[in-house]
């Protein structure tokens, strides 16, 4: 199957930091279909060779095991092309069409890795140039809007040019191997399904913690904040994967229908419940990984006195028969104690403990980062001859060890899926809009009353109020258990 892959925003950070390295990995692993062309488009004038040299230089910033040797890069670079385009100029799209039509690739994947405010104009121009035929797919990178109205406007324009089946909305968390394994765990194994409900599960915690700060993205981040950057998309997508009903098939829409139902079942926020159930925080100076870290307000390009949140913890519920009353806690933040993304399913305690001493509920930990694995925490007898005392133990599955040669990174997987036309791991417009609808009352509560902005030291697990949120229900975050 031959493909042409076009990156709008071809010299931007996303392209050289994530997309090119991912494509190179696919190429190195022999997974990239043969006969492909990769075209980067951007504003400035450069030749193909100059662009290739630009990408090769940028590879120096990629982790060493993922860098190409000169010989590997030379082979990969043969696929790379560059084209100057002014994205507001219809003629430039006609030129692009001529370039693409110079051969009949089976698939044309147009990846919008630009600032999202350009999405409408790019889509309209693509449509006007006839670059929206059935062989065309459009890939949209987040952020897709900054609230419900702006997301709906982007979707309206996209839909006026492309069908839903042509639109690939990326949430790169869905490409992470652990997330696909969550689907396998739930729907390819009969073991957990009978337990996957309110009768057996006490609470579910989703933590997306980063130890990095906002780096040089202070201006972007300050307009965005953790709620829009991580909760509306990544955290909610993980929640849907945990809470969804078994789909009737593995078709993209069968899966996405079930995810949408979860989003629609989320308990809506009111101003009062935002004040009670959402904690909003911003980091102050502290120590991360043994190094001093400045506070958010001292990061470059962050406006003085900013009240932007770099941390969110919240409590919600999925209002249906399976989950009624089970708290779902979501938490994300920058400059936290560790880079740690995980979902913890805390089971209920035994109804009648007969062993003295330790009682501890079972938990299943689905680890996304830094390593990718599963841990099932149990209690076991040590057999040390000291009465019936029990010890916590865990069954650990390390996927990198289990499948040492086959692991594929999130962007690699999603790019290959976009080329192959598999929509399962992409977000449908109604899901995305529903997620915005749910987040809106939080945004407006914060806007209306300024919200209570807590602070936390860089290198901690966030404001104490985040612990109190969980403690109120008689529970604790995983690291406090
Ligand atoms: C992005 C956010 O979507 O996800 C970033 O915009 C964040 O702020 C990143 O750092 C985290 O992704 P990952 O894969 O490194 O956990």
């Amino acid at each position: 199957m031959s493909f042409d892959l076009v990156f709008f925003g071809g010299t931007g950070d996303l392209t050289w930091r994530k997309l090119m390295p991912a494509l190179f990995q696919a190429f190195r692993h022999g997974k990239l279909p043969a006969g492909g062309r990769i075209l980067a488009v951007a504003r400035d004038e450069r030749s193909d060779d100059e662009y290739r040299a630009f990408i090769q230089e940028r590879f120096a910033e990629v982790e060493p095991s993922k860098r190409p040797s000169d010989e590997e890069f030379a082979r990969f670079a043969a696929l790379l092309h560059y084209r100057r385009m002014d994205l507001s100029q219809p003629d430039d799209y006609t030129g692009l069409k001529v370039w693409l039509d110079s051969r009949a690739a089976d698939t044309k994947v147009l990846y919008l890795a630009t600032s999202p405010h350009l999405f409408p104009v790019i889509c309209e121009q693509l449509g006007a140039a006839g670059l929206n035929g059935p062989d065309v797919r459009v890939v949209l990178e987040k952020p897709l809007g900054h609230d419900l109205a702006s997301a709906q406007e982007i979707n309206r324009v996209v839909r006026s040019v492309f069908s839903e089946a042509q639109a690939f909305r990326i949430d790169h968390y869905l490409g992470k191997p652990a997330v696909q394994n969550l689907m396998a765990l739930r729907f390819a194994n009969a073991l957990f399904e009978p337990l996957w409900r309110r009768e057996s599960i006490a609470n579910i915690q989703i933590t997306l913690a980063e130890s990095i700060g906002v780096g040089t993205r202070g201006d972007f981040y300050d307009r965005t904040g953790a709620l829009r950057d991580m909760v509306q998309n990544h955290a909610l997508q993980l929640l849907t994967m945990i809470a969804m009903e078994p789909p009737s098939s593995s078709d993209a829409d069968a899966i996405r229908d079930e995810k949408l139902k979860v989003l629609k079942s989320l308990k809506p926020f009111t101003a009062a419940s935002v004040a009670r159930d959402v904690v909003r925080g911003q980091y102050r100076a502290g120590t991360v990984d043994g190094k001093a870290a400045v506070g958010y307000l001292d990061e470059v390009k962050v406006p003085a006195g900013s009240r932007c949140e770099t941390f969110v913890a919240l409590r919600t519920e999925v209002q249906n028969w399976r989950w009624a009353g089970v708290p779902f806690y979501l938490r994300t933040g920058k400059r936290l104690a560790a880079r740690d993304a995980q979902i913890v399913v805390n089971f209920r305690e035994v109804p009648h403990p007969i062993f003295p001493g330790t009682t501890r509920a079972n938990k299943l930990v689905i680890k996304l980062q830094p390593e990718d694995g599963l841990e099932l925490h149990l209690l076991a007898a040590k057999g040390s001859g000291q009465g019936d005392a029990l010890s916590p133990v865990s069954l650990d599955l390390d996927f990198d060890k289990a499948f040492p040669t086959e692991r594929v990174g999130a962007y690699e997987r999603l790019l290959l899926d976009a080329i192959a036309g598999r929509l399962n791991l992409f977000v449908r417009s109604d899901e995305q809009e529903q997620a915005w609808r749910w987040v809106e009352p939080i945004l407006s509560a914060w806007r209306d009353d300024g919200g209570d902005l807590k602070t936390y030291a860089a290198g901690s697990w966030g404001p104490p109020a985040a612990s109190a949120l969980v403690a109120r229900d008689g529970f604790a975050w995983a690291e406090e258990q």
Side-chain angles (χ1 to χ4, degrees):
M1 191 208 51
S2 58
F3 71 92
D4 283 335
L5 173 57
V6 181
F7 291 128
F8 292 87
T11 51
D13 261 36
L14 177 68
T15 302
W16 65 259
R17 236 184 246 288
K18 300 276 187 197
L19 304 176
M20 285 296 173
L23 276 177
F24 170 68
Q25 288 308 312
F27 174 78
R28 179 185 251 178
H29 296 147
K31 297 209 161 89
L32 200 61
R37 292 190 300 183
I38 301 163
L39 176 71
V41 304
R43 234 181 330 220
D44 33 341
E45 197 65 65
R46 21 180 133 205
S47 66
D48 287 355
D49 281 339
E50 281 165 346
Y51 184 72
R52 291 169 185 150
F54 163 81
I55 291 296
Q56 187 169 19
E57 261 170 44
R58 291 298 185 283
F59 264 107
E61 296 187 34
V62 169
E63 62 180 279
S65 65
K66 298 196 168 154
R67 272 179 222 156
S69 65
D70 287 350
E71 181 275 324
E72 279 177 316
F73 188 79
R75 284 192 291 121
F76 177 63
L79 310 182
L80 298 183
H81 303 269
Y82 180 83
R83 206 180 159 81
R84 195 201 75 82
M85 267 182 83
D86 175 340
L87 295 176
S88 61
Q89 280 307 314
D91 286 353
D92 288 6
Y93 291 83
T94 315
L96 173 65
K97 185 164 190 318
V98 170
W99 189 86
L100 289 168
D101 288 348
S102 64
R103 64 167 201 158
D106 297 321
T107 305
K108 301 176 178 69
V109 179
L110 311 180
Y111 197 125
L112 310 196
T114 60
S115 160
H117 77 272
L118 295 170
F119 292 175
V121 66
I122 301 177
C123 287
E124 276 160 6
Q125 295 282 0
L126 288 170
L131 276 169
N132 59 342
D135 54 341
V136 174
R137 292 176 193 138
V138 64
V139 183
L140 303 157
E141 238 322 314
K142 81 179 256 284
L144 284 163
H146 57 270
D147 57 10
L148 178 61
S150 54
Q152 282 173 325
E153 176 55 16
I154 294 176
N155 285 333
R156 188 190 62 74
V157 178
V158 172
R159 269 195 300 259
S160 70
V161 179
F162 299 100
S163 70
E164 186 67 42
Q166 290 175 287
F168 288 64
R169 291 178 197 77
I170 290 241
D171 184 309
H172 78 279
Y173 266 67
L174 294 183
K176 293 191 189 273
V179 176
Q180 296 145 46
N181 257 313
L182 176 56
M183 291 284 279
L185 177 85
R186 292 199 55 203
F187 306 131
N189 297 285
L191 193 63
F192 289 104
E193 174 52 24
L195 302 175
W196 213 257
R197 56 193 65 248
R198 61 192 301 280
E199 289 79 2
S200 310
I201 292 179
N203 68 85
I204 293 184
Q205 306 182 354
I206 299 177
T207 295
L208 305 181
E210 297 185 273
S211 53
I212 53 168
V214 294
T216 53
R217 297 198 310 160
D219 46 352
F220 158 78
Y221 194 85
D222 205 74
R223 290 192 304 271
T224 309
L227 187 71
R228 292 184 170 99
D229 192 40
M230 298 292 285
V231 176
Q232 185 273 344
N233 33 66
H234 307 322
L236 281 186
Q237 283 294 321
L238 294 180
L239 188 154
T240 63
M241 290 288 201
I242 281 280
M244 71 196 270
E245 294 299 315
S248 58
S249 75
S250 61
D251 286 353
D253 279 332
I255 295 171
R256 301 189 300 178
D257 287 348
E258 296 304 336
K259 286 166 62 200
L260 177 63
K261 280 193 216 158
V262 173
L263 292 166
K264 286 187 171 169
S265 311
L266 285 176
K267 189 172 182 176
F269 277 108
T270 59
S273 65
V274 170
R276 191 186 59 231
D277 292 340
V278 186
V279 176
R280 179 189 189 204
Q282 192 185 74
Y283 61 85
R284 294 288 175 263
T287 308
V288 180
D289 297 332
K291 290 194 200 105
V294 298
Y296 177 71
L297 294 174
D298 294 318
E299 298 278 17
V300 276
K301 299 193 223 156
V302 169
S306 164
R307 291 180 48 77
C308 172
E309 81 286 359
T310 60
F311 176 95
V312 177
L314 61 84
R315 178 195 192 283
T316 186
E317 290 178 22
V318 178
Q319 297 181 309
N320 62 19
W321 274 46
R322 184 186 287 268
W323 296 115
V326 177
F328 283 72
Y329 305 106
L330 311 186
R331 168 175 70 158
T332 186
K334 302 266 183 210
R335 282 290 189 228
L336 294 180
R339 177 169 191 250
D340 182 16
Q342 61 176 24
I343 303 169
V344 180
V345 179
N346 286 304
F347 289 90
R348 292 191 187 280
E349 297 195 347
V350 293
H352 173 63
I354 60 166
F355 293 98
T358 330
T359 60
R360 189 168 296 198
N362 299 126
K363 66 178 175 183
L364 177 70
V365 183
I366 300 152
K367 296 165 79 176
L368 284 77
Q369 269 159 205
E371 46 305 290
D372 163 22
L374 271 182
E375 285 172 6
L376 182 59
H377 292 243
L378 309 165
L379 277 179
K382 264 192 187 160
S384 60
Q386 292 168 337
D388 286 333
L390 301 184
S391 298
V393 285
S394 64
L395 294 174
D396 295 357
L397 183 56
D398 176 340
F399 287 118
D400 290 327
K401 288 210 181 98
F403 307 119
T405 55
E406 291 159 45
R407 315 257 68 208
V408 159
Y411 272 105
E412 184 180 348
R413 167 73 201 253
L414 295 174
L415 280 164
L416 290 171
D417 280 6
I419 292 170
R422 282 188 296 261
L423 273 164
N424 296 30
L425 298 177
F426 294 85
V427 182
R428 208 167 56 189
S429 58
D430 48 5
E431 285 180 76
Q432 187 219 342
E433 289 177 14
Q434 187 59 34
W436 276 119
R437 201 165 280 123
W438 184 75
V439 155
E440 288 260 297
I442 310 179
L443 291 172
S444 60
W446 288 352
R447 202 169 35 234
D448 293 348
D449 71 354
D452 183 13
L453 181 70
K454 312 270 190 219
T455 59
Y456 60 100
S460 69
W461 280 105
S467 302
L469 177 77
V470 179
R472 212 173 61 201
D473 295 330
F475 303 126
W477 290 106
E479 76 281 357
E480 296 168 343
Q481 285 172 7

